[in-house]
Amino acid sequence: MSNYSIMIDLETFSQKKTAAVASIGAVSFTECSIIDTFSINIDPKSCKDAGLHFQQETIDWWKTQRPEAYAALKNNRVPLKSALEQFSEWYGEKQVDVWACGPDFDLVILENAFQSLELPIPWKFFSARCFRTFKAMFKSDIIREGTYHDARDDAIYQAKYIIDVMNKK
């Protein structure tokens, strides 16, 4: 692991690789602690304007989740372009490991969102790491806190899971 890594979690309105992004949550972390967090909600209309996909089945699923998770998606929405630019600024210029659950879902969807607006992707393909695989290989005693399906809370949990495992070495 480099000096720090970034954990990314998305909430989406589809399960396709071209999914409309509802929110981005991310944390930067070391083997010892979380350094910083990022969270932003995205205006669905701006995703539609960018040609991103909405899936009725996923939208219906959201309505069955905890009310606070679904309601949180509606707060302080910004246009997709602004959200991606703010995320890139938060990410910074340093190339670090980028974790997600997994790189074949969250990272692909986020990369597609960047590409749909012809914006540069802040990480390199070789930096992608899979939390889902890590979790299957290593067990943690970490207690899940926060709201399930809140992108920031999910990213925090996933980063804390890795931190816990790394400190058991």
Side-chain angles (χ1 to χ4, degrees), residues 98-163:
V98 179
W99 293 80
C101 192
D104 61 343
F105 187 75
D106 293 69
L107 294 184
V108 170
I109 290 170
L110 196 52
E111 288 172 357
N112 181 69
F114 276 102
Q115 291 168 344
S116 74
L117 296 175
E118 299 180 356
L119 295 172
I121 298 165
W123 61 87
K124 303 291 185 201
F125 72 94
F126 52 79
S127 299
R129 305 289 182 264
C130 184
F131 174 71
R132 188 178 296 125
T133 301
F134 185 91
K135 188 175 181 185
M137 294 175 66
F138 304 102
K139 299 305 172 203
S140 169
D141 298 321
I142 195 86
I143 305 284
R144 174 67 163 87
E145 297 173 338
T147 303
Y148 284 84
H149 306 301
D150 175 291
R152 182 180 166 275
D153 287 352
D154 290 349
I156 288 171
Y157 164 72
Q158 292 163 195
K160 284 182 174 180
Y161 191 103
I162 291 175
I163 292 166

Side-chain angles (χ1 to χ4, degrees), residues 34-50:
I34 290 177
I35 302 168
D36 194 16
T37 65
F38 176 87
S39 181
I40 199 160
N41 290 334
I42 300 167
D43 175 31
K45 183 182 180 317
S46 66
C47 289
K48 184 176 181 181
D49 293 345

